[in-house]
Amino acid sequence: MLKPLGDRVLVEIIEEAEQKTAEGLYVPDSAKEKSQRGKVVAVGSGKLLDSGERVALEVNVGDTVYFAKYGGTEVSVEGKDYSLLSERDILAIVE
């Protein structure tokens, strides 16, 4: 598995269920937008300040989050899709 460094977070992308238009037409996989929702599977040690202190991340392993559409780097490990993001690219935690 991957271990993020610093203030980075590894998020497993949660694929959205079948998408259907208001008229009842199904959207093919090739036309779907990439999901912006995922589950945190690993977090880094936190942001290092100039003073040498580390600031803990606000997200924890197991949190479901929404992240910026074009944020992070997409990676695939053992057939699963992940996004490696900076904490600032995470927009919200689903409660």
Side-chain angles (χ1 to χ4, degrees), residues 3-70:
K3 168 84 173 127
L5 301 176
D7 69 339
R8 290 186 177 77
V9 179
L10 186 65
V11 175
E12 182 178 353
I13 298 171
I14 298 173
E15 295 299 329
E16 303 297 328
E18 270 187 347
Q19 293 180 349
K20 193 162 87 170
T21 66
E23 294 80 27
L25 299 174
Y26 287 96
V27 178
D29 289 339
S30 59
K32 287 183 185 177
E33 290 190 14
K34 122 181 160 177
S35 177
Q36 292 175 255
R37 189 168 61 115
K39 183 174 181 179
V40 176
V41 294
V43 296
S45 56
K47 184 175 183 172
L48 184 62
L49 301 177
D50 292 336
S51 64
E53 287 183 64
R54 284 222 182 257
V55 177
L57 300 176
E58 291 186 56
V59 296
N60 298 304
V61 172
D63 287 346
T64 299
V65 297
Y66 280 94
F67 51 89
K69 189 173 202 168
Y70 298 106

Side-chain angles (χ1 to χ4, degrees), residues 8-9 34 67-75 82-86 88-90:
R8 290 186 177 77
V9 179
K34 122 181 160 177
F67 51 89
K69 189 173 202 168
Y70 298 106
T73 301
E74 291 183 21
V75 293
Y82 298 93
S83 190
L84 189 57
L85 305 157
S86 289
R88 69 176 178 261
D89 291 329
I90 295 176

